[in-house]
């Protein structure tokens, strides 16, 4: 029986991965920062704790879904962001290599500067502009340095079972007649279900390396919001604002990539694997929310 250790198991992707493997002959070692039902507490920033758990449980695969994802908070919490986003993946990779486990790490579009004019491929050089992006890039480097059998999946605009942009917009629509949303940041909204499917597809293979893993197609945050409201039958008006205008309204916000569309180039080159179009994935998600 295959054993998979998941960090950040209570997050959107952690939940989606466990659901994706349902019905298979797989044992999950579920870990998160806080112990719970069928969840073991693990501090991924503690090298000894990580090695001890991995040596004890002997997983075949480690999937790291844990991250400090609060982009604005990372700007003032550099040490914590580095510990979780860089040292954590380092520790897991060291433990994976020590026990012969495959290492799967989830990264982000924020590793790029975001001033491109065409979708970024895995062959483009990263150049992050935020603390979040910089710490996530260091995490990628550690995984490559310490693990000989790794998959790094860069994703973007993730939503699933948990706190996310879709639910935030729906909540705001309950009490607001209109909302102001940025219209000059381009990317690809990605369903955690679709990302979990991609991870599940590649995990048994030897097709190692860095992969971009976002839903197909692209949009901006304001148009994404309009698509969410349309599917939910909401009449809330969406005001399109620029990043500059948003920054004036929210001075503590971190700089975000203006253009962070990723092309799943390595998936297409090595496997011809295709993720769903973002609109189709949103349809599925919204129907599940309304069920």
């Amino acid at each position: 029986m295959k054993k998979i250790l998941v960090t950040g198991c209570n997050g959107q992707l952690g939940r989606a991965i466990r659901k994706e493997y349902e019905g298979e002959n797989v044992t999950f070692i579920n870990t998160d920062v806080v112990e719970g039902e069928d969840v073991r507490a693990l501090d991924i920033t503690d090298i000894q704790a990580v090695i001890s758990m991995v040596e004890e449980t002997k997983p075949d695969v480690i999937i790291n879904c844990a991250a400090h994802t609060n982009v604005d908070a990372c700007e003032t919490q550099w040490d914590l962001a580095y510990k979780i986003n860089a040292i954590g993946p380092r520790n897991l990779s060291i433990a994976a290599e020590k026990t012969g486990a495959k290492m799967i790490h989830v990264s982000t579009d924020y590793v790029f500067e975001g001033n491109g004019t065409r979708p970024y491929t895995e062959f483009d050089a990263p150049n992050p502009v935020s603390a979040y992006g910089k710490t996530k890039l260091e995490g990628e480097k550690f995984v490559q340095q310490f693990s000989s059998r790794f998959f790094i999946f860069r994703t973007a605009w993730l939503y699933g079972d948990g706190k996310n942009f879709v639910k935030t917009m729906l909540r705001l629509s309950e009490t607001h007649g209109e909302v102001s949303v940025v219209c000059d940041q381009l990317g690809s909204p990605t369903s955690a279900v679709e990302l979990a499917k991609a991870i599940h597809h590649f995990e048994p293979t030897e097709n190692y390396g860095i992969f971009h893993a976002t839903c197909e197609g692209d949009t901006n945050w304001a148009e994404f919001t309009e698509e969410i409201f349309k599917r939910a039958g909401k009449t809330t008006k969406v005001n399109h604002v620029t990043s500059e205008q948003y920054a004036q309204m929210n001075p503590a916000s971190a700089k975000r990539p203006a253009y962070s569309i990723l092309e799943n180039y390595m998936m297409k080159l090595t496997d011809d694997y295709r993720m769903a179009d973002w609109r189709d994935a949103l349809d599925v998600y919204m129907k599940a929310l309304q069920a």
Side-chain angles (χ1 to χ4, degrees):
M1 181 182 285
K2 183 184 289 182
K3 286 200 282 187
I4 300 177
L5 187 149
V6 178
T7 66
C9 71
N10 288 327
Q12 296 184 106
L13 183 58
R15 292 171 191 267
I17 284 170
R18 286 188 283 168
K19 201 163 185 181
E20 169 64 22
Y21 279 83
E22 272 179 7
E24 290 195 21
N25 198 19
V26 171
T27 297
F28 275 103
I29 303 142
N30 299 313
T31 76
D32 215 310
V33 287
V34 179
E35 191 173 354
E37 187 181 349
D38 195 31
V39 177
R40 296 182 61 176
L42 177 64
D43 177 3
I44 64 169
T45 71
D46 181 339
I47 181 69
Q48 205 47 57
V50 170
I51 289 175
S52 295
M53 182 172 287
V54 172
E55 286 186 330
E56 175 206 332
T57 56
K58 295 182 172 56
D60 301 291
V61 183
I62 295 172
I63 304 178
N64 181 33
C65 302
H68 189 344
T69 57
N70 187 322
V71 177
D72 295 336
C74 283
E75 293 296 318
T76 55
Q77 299 172 356
W78 275 92
D79 290 359
L80 183 62
Y82 267 115
K83 284 176 78 171
I84 298 171
N85 294 341
I87 302 301
R90 181 200 72 147
N91 295 344
L92 292 164
S93 298
I94 289 169
E97 194 68 9
K98 196 174 171 69
T99 56
K102 289 182 178 181
M103 177 69 195
I104 298 177
H105 176 61
V106 180
S107 193
T108 173
D109 56 320
Y110 278 62
V111 299
F112 294 108
E113 189 172 0
N115 59 357
T117 54
R118 58 158 179 78
Y120 288 100
T121 75
E122 296 84 348
F123 299 101
D124 289 315
N127 185 29
V129 294
S130 66
Y132 173 64
K134 287 171 183 175
T135 56
K136 289 294 287 184
L137 180 59
E138 293 308 314
E140 287 189 11
K141 290 176 183 176
F142 277 135
V143 172
Q144 294 174 76
Q145 182 179 347
F146 290 108
S147 174
S148 59
R149 298 196 301 159
F150 69 85
F151 299 89
I152 293 171
F153 291 97
R154 290 177 182 151
T155 194
W157 298 25
L158 197 68
Y159 62 89
D161 180 9
K163 184 182 174 186
N164 61 61
F165 181 81
V166 179
K167 288 183 178 176
T168 298
M169 290 300 108
L170 289 173
R171 190 178 68 248
L172 287 174
S173 72
E174 296 295 327
T175 53
H176 293 68
E178 55 185 69
V179 293
S180 295
V181 187
V182 170
C183 64
D184 58 357
Q185 293 173 16
L186 301 175
S188 302
T190 301
S191 158
V193 170
E194 277 298 307
L195 180 56
K197 285 180 185 175
I199 289 171
H200 188 189
H201 176 85
F202 284 93
E203 172 264 305
T205 74
E206 307 291 314
N207 191 12
Y208 303 120
I210 297 175
F211 293 86
H212 288 176
T214 60
C215 283
E216 294 290 332
D218 57 80
T219 187
N220 63 60
W221 289 110
E223 287 179 357
F224 183 29
T225 305
E226 287 170 343
E227 293 292 333
I228 294 164
F229 289 166
K230 186 165 76 176
R231 285 160 177 76
K234 303 288 185 184
T235 56
T236 307
K237 183 188 174 192
V238 180
N239 297 320
H240 291 223
V241 299
T242 65
S243 298
E244 190 178 351
Q245 289 170 319
Y246 182 84
Q248 286 168 354
M249 291 185 280
N250 302 271
S253 62
K255 188 177 179 185
R256 281 148 167 89
Y259 184 103
S260 64
I261 301 167
L262 304 182
E263 182 180 353
N264 302 347
Y265 196 44
M266 280 294 287
M267 285 187 178
K268 294 165 188 173
L269 286 179
T270 65
D271 191 280
D272 201 29
Y273 184 84
R274 306 277 176 173
M275 292 177 68
D277 182 87
W278 73 266
R279 291 176 185 83
D280 296 335
L282 182 61
D283 284 341
V284 172
Y285 181 74
M286 294 298 291
K287 282 172 186 168
L289 275 187
Q290 292 156 1

